[in-house]
Amino acid sequence: ESSFYFFLFEGVWSGDWGVTLENQCALRGTSVVLKCDYDYPSGHTVTSVSWSKAQYVSNSWRLVALSQLFSPLKFNYVGNKQGDCDLRINNVRFTDEGHYYFSFETRRDRWSSKTFSYLFVRGLTAVVWPNTVTEGEDVRLICHSGCPQTTEFVWFRDGQPVSASEFQATSEDAGKYHCAVKGQETAKSASVALNVRYSPKKVTLSVSPSADIIKGDTLTFSCSSDANPPVAETGYSLFKDGQFVSSGQEHTISEVQLGHSGRYHCQAWNNITWRGSNLFNSTEVLLDVHYHPTNTSVSVVPERALEGSSVNLTCSSDANPPVDSYTWYKMAASSSSMTQVGSGQTLFLPSMQASHTGLYLCLVRNSVGENNSTEVLLSMAEKQQGSPSIPVLVGIGVSLCITLVIVLLLLRRKRRRNTGEKQPVFDSVLSRSQSSATEDPSERQIRL
């Protein structure tokens, strides 16, 4: 039985002299391999290989070794010395385009390729269609490659990955888009902008100063929004309690009055409709004008108190924020100085005495300022001298009523008695009259 053994030694080959090269197309930023095969007669051993590029130098074309043109990291010989002469070019640039030649040497000869490998360098082109849309409209992303080979692409917006190449635009989709080769994202297109027109969003009304507003201050209302196109100066309107105040992005009140208090909101418009509306409002801002206490007054109940009775002095005032401090003062009898006699909205005197009489006032305060009432005279009612007390008057009235009843009863009884005695007299007179009528007139004359 016979056996056949093949021994391969480095650099030893058999055949004819020759180099076979292929043209290549590469995208800028990618890596590409120039395909190359070579052959040489038997009996030769390859000792070295090299690649060159045709360069236009001094008005003529010359072959320049790649080692003289670029960094060693730019090109990598991935072939061998036995027929494979592939060359990898990393991070391809447009300047890398051109004619590439391969040559090799043996111990007895040297061979250079008669043909070349031409490298075409192309770039990616990103297309956003359409590049200007109104929010809600469809957008399509298209990536064009100048090379014939099929390539898978990915998309980025402002450096962030985009999940879909077709979508309905929102305001957040506006930005700069580029496509890249999947797995070699350094190979990317130039950026293309997508312009999304949208109605005002985040309409905001701010007030300056933002601290408490005090009567007499100067304040400015400012409207702002996020919109494309931006809201024009005349596209803003200010409303108070639902009523139009002014148009414009800012409104200034030079001297704030109490009547300026209310609820304000801003309205924005840029002629873009969203969900059937083209007017968009901010949230309401409450303007609460603060002022120091005014119209401070004191009421006294009762106005004139009897000695020993209770008295309430009540202080009232108009203020915003409400009064948080009440202090009572009484004018000293011997001088015009005032003495503090109490605090709180009501000064209570449980038992009126002569020492309590005099002039009183209250001083009120809030966070804005203070104010005091006018002086109020507290006096004590005088007792009437010599006049009977109420119980005595009541007793006298009762006695008079009883006496009057007794008198009326006695008079009634007496009248009845007199009526009973006069009845016989009337009968006697009547009988006499009758008797005289029957007598003879001559007899009457005699009696006379």
Side-chain angles (χ1 to χ4, degrees), residues 228-417:
N228 186 31
V231 176
E233 176 72 17
T234 56
Y236 288 104
S237 298
L238 181 67
F239 291 82
K240 173 181 178 286
D241 297 329
Q243 301 298 315
F244 175 78
V245 176
S246 67
S247 62
Q249 192 167 6
E250 290 189 350
H251 177 79
T252 299
I253 302 176
S254 58
E255 189 172 349
V256 176
Q257 300 300 320
L258 303 186
H260 291 129
S261 295
R263 295 185 176 276
Y264 291 79
H265 76 268
C266 176
Q267 190 174 85
W269 170 85
N270 71 343
N271 204 31
I272 302 296
T273 299
W274 174 249
R275 294 179 178 174
S277 177
N278 61 0
L279 297 175
F280 302 90
N281 296 332
S282 70
T283 56
E284 288 188 334
V285 173
L286 175 63
L287 178 61
D288 187 22
V289 179
H290 289 190
Y291 53 94
H292 64 74
T294 60
N295 302 323
T296 306
S297 62
V298 174
S299 61
V300 181
V301 178
E303 294 183 356
R304 292 173 62 82
L306 294 172
E307 183 177 5
S309 63
S310 63
V311 181
N312 283 324
L313 286 81
T314 303
C315 185
S316 62
S317 183
D318 178 22
N320 187 29
V323 171
D324 54 23
S325 173
Y326 295 86
T327 307
W328 290 92
Y329 293 90
K330 180 178 181 293
M331 182 173 289
S334 58
S335 65
S336 60
S337 62
M338 304 296 290
T339 302
Q340 182 177 341
V341 293
S343 61
Q345 189 171 5
T346 299
L347 178 65
F348 176 65
L349 303 177
S351 179
M352 181 68 182
Q353 303 297 326
S355 60
H356 292 146
T357 61
L359 295 173
Y360 288 78
L361 64 81
C362 69
L363 176 67
V364 294
R365 294 186 180 89
N366 68 357
S367 60
V368 180
E370 63 182 30
N371 183 243
N372 60 270
S373 69
T374 57
E375 297 171 345
V376 174
L377 176 62
L378 176 62
S379 59
M380 188 169 61
E382 297 180 359
K383 291 184 178 180
Q384 296 182 359
Q385 299 296 328
S387 60
S389 63
I390 291 176
V392 173
L393 292 175
V394 172
I396 293 173
V398 172
S399 299
L400 288 175
C401 290
I402 294 173
T403 303
L404 180 59
V405 170
I406 293 173
V407 170
L408 291 174
L409 291 174
L410 290 175
L411 288 175
R412 185 175 181 182
R413 182 177 296 178
K414 184 177 181 180
R415 182 176 297 173
R416 288 180 179 178
R417 185 180 301 162

Side-chain angles (χ1 to χ4, degrees), residues 197-217:
R197 290 157 37 95
Y198 54 93
S199 59
K201 302 177 185 292
K202 302 177 183 177
V203 181
T204 303
L205 176 62
S206 59
V207 181
S208 179
S210 57
D212 293 338
I213 304 299
I214 300 174
K215 178 182 176 183
D217 283 352

Side-chain angles (χ1 to χ4, degrees), residues 82-101:
Q82 296 178 345
D84 184 359
C85 50
D86 291 350
L87 175 70
R88 177 186 293 277
I89 305 176
N90 300 311
N91 193 19
V92 174
R93 295 290 180 249
F94 288 117
T95 55
D96 295 332
E97 183 169 313
H99 302 79
Y100 288 82
Y101 294 84

Side-chain angles (χ1 to χ4, degrees), residues 56-67:
Y56 193 72
V57 180
S58 301
N59 298 323
S60 62
W61 286 97
R62 296 181 181 180
L63 291 179
V64 180
L66 297 182
S67 60

